[in-house]
Every structure is written in structure tokens, then in C-alpha cells.
Amino acid sequence: MKTIIEAKQVKKTYGTKENVFTAIDEFNLTVRQGEFVGIMGPSGAGKSTLLNILATIDEPTGGDVKIDGTSIVKMNEEKLSAFRRDKLGFIFQDYNLLNTLTVKENILLPLALAKMNVQELEKRVNEVAVKFGIVEILEKYPYQISGGQKQRTAAARAIVAKPSLILADEPTGALDSKSATDLLEGLKGLSEHDQATILMVTHDAFAASYCQRVIFIKDGKLFTELIKGESSRKQFFNRVLDVLATLGGGVSDVI
Ligand SMILES: Nc1ncnc2c1ncn2[C@@H]1O[C@H](COP(=O)(O)OP(=O)(O)OP(=O)(O)O)[C@@H](O)[C@H]1O
Ligand SMILES: [Mg+2]
């Protein structure tokens, strides 16, 4: 499988010379097509910062990031927005739904630019709506639905165009366990059957147990990495819990 993400010596600092804070420190990461990778670590470890850099939302202070063979560090804004539109799907904590559009229109948004006929569009939207249990709310507006429904709408929107790279920051945070399981099964299916590459930040060991590999970050650096391999989801879940216990520094807020 080809390499989708290649991050080398990525660094992100905030502040001025006298008061510099390193959020990501010389981070290396290689992710291959079809991998479902979890990112875990204590609050403030740098998980969202790393994800935002890979999502081309944030610029690194140093190092290089190649996505699908192209360095995103040197890309101009025009190229970046085309890149985001064509290759990336986002599921973020604050949903980013447009309040003036219905749930259905929000989901259609990433497809609007694809040359697809109306029937095909309807079919796609219905498929994802069924997958995330939001068929009944398709005609509603974001302010008329619950937090969990917003998150499921955002997830549906993120996967509807079948992007090659899906970036998710706490996608199950606001979901009940049934919706969370549906979303995780959906993501797992995309990686296994559609070769989608998925990077998911999570505090939840249950969510992480759906990944093939989990990267643990502490203080902006790689702490350790777990590979699911042949272990069952339950076994992997326990291995994730073991690492969280050794991570230290506020273990209570990582599970
Ligand atoms: N714009 C910013 N300016 C200054 N410091 C920042 C900025 N954004 C993030 N940081 C700091 O960088 C560190 C990493 O933040 P980040 O949001 O990546 O953490 P995280 O691992 O996602 O945490 P959480 O689990 O709480 O979401 C934190 O200490 C944070 O305070
Ligand atoms: Mg975060």
C-alpha cells in the first residue's frame, strides 16, 4: 500500500523567543493507505495540534509533511483548498455545520463540486444517513437537532465523498454508545473496504480499540505505539488501557 502521510521532524511552537512553548517536537509519522490510526495522550499533549497540521489547517514551525506524495508545507492557499476539497474529510469536535443549511444540505456540501447526477447524490446521502441513523432529521436545521445528531451529521458529511484521508478529532465524544459504535464500525468499514486512511484523536480506549494502530503522544513527543495485529478488539482495548495507565500525568483525564 502506498504511503498517504509522511511527516518528518514536525515541530510546532507557540509564543515568542523569551516565552516559547513547544506543542509538537520533532515528530515523525508514516501512515499507509487503508490504515486506521488512533492518536491518544493526556490533555494538552499536542494531539489536536498534530491533527490540524496534517489537515493543513495549521502550519508547522519546522519539518515537512507529505500527503499522498505532495509536500503540503510549500503549497499555496489555492492548491491547499483544492487539496482539502478533493482528498480530505474532517470530523471535528465543534461540528462546523452551516446553520443556514439543512442536515441534508450540509451532508451534500462536499459532493456539490463532484460531477454527480441527482439520483447518485440522493443515493449517497441516504446511504450515509441510514448508516448514522439520521434519516428522520435530514430536513431539519442544525439548531433544531441535538449535539449527538450534529456529530453524526458531521461524520456523515465527512465520509459522503469517500475521501482518501479522514481526520477525526474526538468523533465519538458527544455520542451515546450505540451511535459511537455505529460511527466506529462505519470508519472501520471505510478503511477495510474502501482503503480510506483514517486518523482519529480520541480519549476513549473503546474507540481506540477499533484502530489497527494507536500512537500515544506525551508532551508533543511520541510516547509509544501499539499495533493491534492478531489480537482481538477486547485484547487490544486492554492493551490500550495498560498504556494509558503508564502514561501518567492525569491518567484520569485520558480515559
Ligand atoms: N494557539 C495556541 N497558542 C498557544 N498555545 C497553544 C495554542 N494552541 C494550542 N496550544 C497549546 O499547545 C498544547 C497542545 O494543545 P492541543 O490542543 O494540541 O492538545 P490536545 O492534546 O489536543 O489536548 P486535549 O486532549 O485537551 O484536546 C497545549 O498546551 C495548548 O495549550
Ligand atoms: Mg484536542
Side-chain angles (χ1 to χ4, degrees):
M1 280 293 183
K2 65 174 172 172
T3 300
I4 291 287
I5 299 175
E6 193 165 21
K8 282 203 173 132
Q9 311 277 13
V10 170
K11 202 176 170 83
K12 180 73 183 178
T13 57
Y14 291 109
T16 54
K17 249 192 183 135
E18 299 79 49
N19 198 1
V20 67
F21 176 79
T22 305
I24 294 290
D25 200 6
E26 313 269 320
F27 205 90
N28 295 309
L29 177 66
T30 303
V31 180
R32 296 195 189 283
Q33 185 175 14
E35 272 198 286
F36 185 4
V37 179
I39 301 175
M40 300 191 91
S43 182
K47 304 178 297 293
S48 296
T49 305
L50 179 67
L51 203 76
N52 288 343
I53 291 172
L54 300 174
T56 73
I57 291 167
D58 225 346
E59 254 182 81
T61 317
D64 189 29
V65 179
K66 280 202 182 83
I67 294 187
D68 214 355
T70 313
S71 173
I72 55 169
V73 174
K74 295 169 199 105
M75 253 189 228
N76 64 30
E77 195 47 47
E78 197 183 329
K79 279 214 169 125
L80 277 179
S81 45
F83 181 81
R84 280 183 212 120
R85 187 191 66 214
D86 297 339
K87 305 242 166 169
L88 305 182
F90 301 99
I91 316 177
F92 282 171
Q93 266 163 324
D94 55 2
Y95 322 125
N96 284 317
L97 297 177
L98 299 178
N99 279 314
T100 53
L101 300 181
T102 64
V103 164
K104 185 176 180 176
E105 289 162 346
N106 266 287
I107 297 172
L108 277 169
L109 215 52
L111 294 178
L113 295 154
K115 290 189 183 70
M116 236 179 250
N117 65 41
V118 178
Q119 273 174 330
E120 177 66 23
L121 288 177
E122 290 281 337
K123 190 170 154 257
R124 282 275 192 100
V125 171
N126 279 318
E127 271 172 21
V128 290
V130 168
K131 193 171 264 178
F132 293 119
I134 50 174
V135 175
E136 291 79 30
I137 57 159
L138 281 176
E139 301 308 326
K140 290 193 174 181
Y141 288 88
Y143 63 86
Q144 298 172 314
I145 63 176
S146 75
Q149 289 170 332
K150 281 184 197 162
Q151 196 152 31
R152 281 181 278 154
T153 301
R157 184 187 52 185
I159 68 164
V160 74
K162 302 195 173 161
S164 50
L165 177 58
I166 296 166
L167 300 154
D169 200 343
E170 293 285 350
T172 57
L175 300 183
D176 59 48
S177 62
K178 164 84 171 69
S179 309
T181 305
D182 288 350
L183 174 56
L184 293 163
E185 291 284 356
L187 292 175
K188 189 163 168 269
L190 282 174
S191 91
E192 285 174 359
H193 307 303
D194 298 308
Q195 275 72 52
T197 310
I198 306 168
L199 233 62
M200 174 177 75
V201 169
T202 184
H203 283 116
D204 180 9
F206 174 76
S209 71
Y210 279 82
C211 299
Q212 292 160 4
R213 174 155 73 110
V214 180
I215 287 161
F216 295 84
I217 302 181
K218 190 180 183 184
D219 300 328
K221 293 192 180 84
L222 180 73
F223 178 73
T224 191
E225 183 180 60
L226 280 184
I227 292 167
K228 186 168 177 229
E230 296 303 308
S231 50
S232 68
R233 205 177 52 68
K234 179 78 187 137
Q235 287 167 333
F236 195 47
F237 170 79
N238 286 322
R239 289 168 62 203
V240 169
L241 285 183
D242 286 346
V243 174
L244 291 178
T246 61
L247 248 177
V251 170
S252 60
D253 49 60
V254 295
I255 25 182

